[in-house]
């Protein structure tokens, strides 16, 4: 059968499988499957079950056009807690593994999230958002919200994820499943994030920042909250960012992932273990350049969860995910200091669960030609067995382009790594246009994973070049830190030298038909590129930064991000302006499409407005597209129809200006 070419609208056909949870019996697996309802223009998530030993056909456990997610097995493995918005707000439900209707166990005023079972299976702890003196539960009818002024007295008053701060704090509550009684465990003007419940049932692990002036504090400490006394015991250093807390089965050890901000937000996350007997916190990867966690960039997966340290039944061994050289891998570790990959291939492992087993795991894997499926991993042999095939019919129908990894040296001797994606219908002897893609962050990582945007461009006859310039994750601490204070310097040179390398290496690239695009930091770099070279025939800048001076005051992270990344404060506007693409707008000759979301508080839309007006004022070729009711995450989790519109805007701009 002849396969057809991919198009942007194919997002409606794809399914995402994520957040696998294997029970401690090593047999029962539940996961979240998400698709897009084209009719409702919304995401729909439901829970599915597989017996990994029988490898039976997946069974659907929840139904309806809602978001059902965050499944968590009870200690006895006979019940499942999960979060659903079927009642209008996110609430926690419990269902029997043997079947039957799910029972709603929370009726919280502002919804509930993050369910954690008590060791005896009789209670569930969870997070809830509450204003001071606001009741955790309400039976009142919903009142129509009135427009009121927003009073602001702190700098951290908005967030790209949640919008303007509404006076609510994240608190922790516990619901008794037998009586239905719900009790608030924390209170005050502090955000508490639930991490776990100790095996003896006496403590909750929570993370919080208890600093007096939160506007100037950037830490997340882990505490043990004694349930009987409500006393908090801090187990981390007070100088860094820690989370992803897990307990060893015997309760003696607590695993954490975090760092002490030695390089601010460019610091590599590491594996830490706290000994509750010795009262000692130790970093097990202090001497390693390995980055703990999944930092791969993609534009498809929904609801992917990076687990913390997954302890095994021997109380000394554990598994975790790490980002390494364009891949995410499963690593084995132990209290003795052993650390080595248990699964390291050219792929993106975006989900991991073991159920506490030493030799078995379930992994979620994506590759450039595979949106993602679940696999059973036999750890001793490394053998993978497919458990799902949710995108098989799509892959059978659509021609997808594979990638070729490239490695080369920058002119200053640094090693650089990336990929070349040939056009999907590549023919030997034919010349093709090339699109350079630049990721955001900048502390993130392009990887061997599926990218709808890249596949769409390849389907339309474009080659796609993407690399990890210095500043990217996955290549060690020195590499990721190198961009700080040097935006538009060697990072820009890395990208231009990558284009040079591609032109020298691949004879099918037409050097006269080059395009460039990127989002966030990649948008900044796209703006920088068109102000410093005319080698590209067309450019698309997305959710970009154009002016660091105004970014300082309008971004939800601006006033400290500038100091961390540009290494400049407001008193030094000359440095901010020197690194601002807006300063070079008079040099721009490349037709530039500007894409931006109205409710982007990370890189606010005024960054795009300034750039557009400056270009139009100078009679440059440009167009400005504003996406309504969308934030910085439009390309990954935004309104489906707007995600598709965005893809088509990118494609059509390149088709118009790259002939």
């Amino acid at each position: 059968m002849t396969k057809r070419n991919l198009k942007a609208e194919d997002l409606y056909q794809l399914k995402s499988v994520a957040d696998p949870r294997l029970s401690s019996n090593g047999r029962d697996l539940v996961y979240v499957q998400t698709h897009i309802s084209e009719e409702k223009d919304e995401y729909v998530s439901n829970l599915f079950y597989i017996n990994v030993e029988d490898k039976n056909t997946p069974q659907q456990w929840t139904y309806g056009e809602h978001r059902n997610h965050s499944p968590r097995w009870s200690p006895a493995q006979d019940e499942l807690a999960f979060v659903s918005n079927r009642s209008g707000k996110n609430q926690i439900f419990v269902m029997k593994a043997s079947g039957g209707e799910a029972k709603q166990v929370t009726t919280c005023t502002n919804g509930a999230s993050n369910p954690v079972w008590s060791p005896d299976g009789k209670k569930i702890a969870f997070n809830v958002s509450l204003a001071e003196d606001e009741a955790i539960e309400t039976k009142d009818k919903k009142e129509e919200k009135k427009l009121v002024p927003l009073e602001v007295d702190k700098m951290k008053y908005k967030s790209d994820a949640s919008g303007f701060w509404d006076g609510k704090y994240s608190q922790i509550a516990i619901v008794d499943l037998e009586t239905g009684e719900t009790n608030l465990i924390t209170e005050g003007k502090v955000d508490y994030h639930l991490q776990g419940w100790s095996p003896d049932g006496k403590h909750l692990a929570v993370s919080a920042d208890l600093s007096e002036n939160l506007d100037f504090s950037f830490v997340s400490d882990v505490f043990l909250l004694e349930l009987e006394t409500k006393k908090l015991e801090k187990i981390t250093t007070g100088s860094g960012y820690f989370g992803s807390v897990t307990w060893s089965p015997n309760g003696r050890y607590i695993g954490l992932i975090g760092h002490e901000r030695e390089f601010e937000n460019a610091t590599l996350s590491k594996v830490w273990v706290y000994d509750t007997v010795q009262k000692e916190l130790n970093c097990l990867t202090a001497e390693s350049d390995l980055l703990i966690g999944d930092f791969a960039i993609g534009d498809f997966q929904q609801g992917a969860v990076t687990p913390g340290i997954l302890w095994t039944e021997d109380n000394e061994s554990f598994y975790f995910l790490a980002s390494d050289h364009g891949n995410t891998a499963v690593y084995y570790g132990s209290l003795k200091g052993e650390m080595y990959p248990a699964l390291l291939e050219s792929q993106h492992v975006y989900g991991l669960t073991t159920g506490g087993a030493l030799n078995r795991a379930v992994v979620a894997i994506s590759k450039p030609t595979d949106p993602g499926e679940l696999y059973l991993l036999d750890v001793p042999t490394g053998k993978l067995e497919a458990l799902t095939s949710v995108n098989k019919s799509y892959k059978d129908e659509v021609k997808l382009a594979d990638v070729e990894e490239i490695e080369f040296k920058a002119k200053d001797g640094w090693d650089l790594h990336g990929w070349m994606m040939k056009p999907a219908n590549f023919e030997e002897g034919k010349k093709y246009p090339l699109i350079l893609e630049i990721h955001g962050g900048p502390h993130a990582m392009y990887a061997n994973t599926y990218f709808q945007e890249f596949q769409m461009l390849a389907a339309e006859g474009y080659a796609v070049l993407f690399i990890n310039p210095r500043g990217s994750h996955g290549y060690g601490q020195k590499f990721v830190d190198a961009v700080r204070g040097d935006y538009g310097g060697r990072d820009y040179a890395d990208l231009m030298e990558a284009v040079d390398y591609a032109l020298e290496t691949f004879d099918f690239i037409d050097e006269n038909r080059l395009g460039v695009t990127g989002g966030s930091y990649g948008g900044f770099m796209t703006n920088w590129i068109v102000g410093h070279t005319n080698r590209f025939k067309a450019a698309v800048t997305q959710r970009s930064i154009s002016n660091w001076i105004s970014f300082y005051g309008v971004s939800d992270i601006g006033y400290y991000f500038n100091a961390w990344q540009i290494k400049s404060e407001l008193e030094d506007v000359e440095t901010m302006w020197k690194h601002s693409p807006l300063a070079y707008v008079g040099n721009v000759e490349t037709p530039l499409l500007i894409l931006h979301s109205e409710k982007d508080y990370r890189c606010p839309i005024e960054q795009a407005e300034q750039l557009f007006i400056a270009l139009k004022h100078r009679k440059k070729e440009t167009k400005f597209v504003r996406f309504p009711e969308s934030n910085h995450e439009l390309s990954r989790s935004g309104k489906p129809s707007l995600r598709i519109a965005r893809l088509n805007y990118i494609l059509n701009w390149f088709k118009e200006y790259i002939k």
Side-chain angles (χ1 to χ4, degrees), residues 476-493:
Q477 184 63 77
K478 183 179 178 181
F479 193 88
V480 71
D481 190 53
V483 73
R484 296 173 64 222
D486 191 37
Y487 276 47
R490 276 305 318 177
D491 51 350
Y492 165 65

Side-chain angles (χ1 to χ4, degrees), residues 137-166:
E137 294 181 303
T138 180
K139 306 299 182 182
D140 297 337
K141 292 182 178 179
K142 185 177 179 181
E143 295 182 5
E144 185 177 346
K145 287 187 177 181
K146 298 179 180 179
L147 291 177
V148 295
L150 175 67
E151 296 182 9
V152 176
D153 61 3
K154 63 178 186 175
M155 288 191 285
K156 293 180 182 176
Y157 73 93
K158 63 180 177 180
S159 138
D160 185 68
S162 54
F164 291 120
W165 185 62
D166 57 4

Side-chain angles (χ1 to χ4, degrees), residues 305-373:
V305 175
T306 299
I309 296 167
L310 301 181
W311 294 91
T312 68
E313 60 263 28
D314 67 8
N315 293 293
E316 293 185 354
S317 306
F318 49 83
Y319 292 95
F320 58 91
L321 293 182
S323 297
D324 185 12
H325 208 75
N327 301 298
T328 53
V330 179
Y331 266 74
Y332 167 87
S334 77
L335 296 177
K336 298 176 182 177
E338 299 170 286
M339 296 283 168
Y340 56 82
L343 179 66
L344 178 58
E345 303 290 343
S346 295
Q347 58 196 15
H348 174 202
V349 182
Y350 63 91
L352 169 67
T353 179
T354 65
L358 183 60
N359 295 319
R360 171 183 286 183
V362 172
V363 288
I365 295 177
S366 176
K367 296 182 180 180
T369 57
D370 188 347
E373 302 288 355

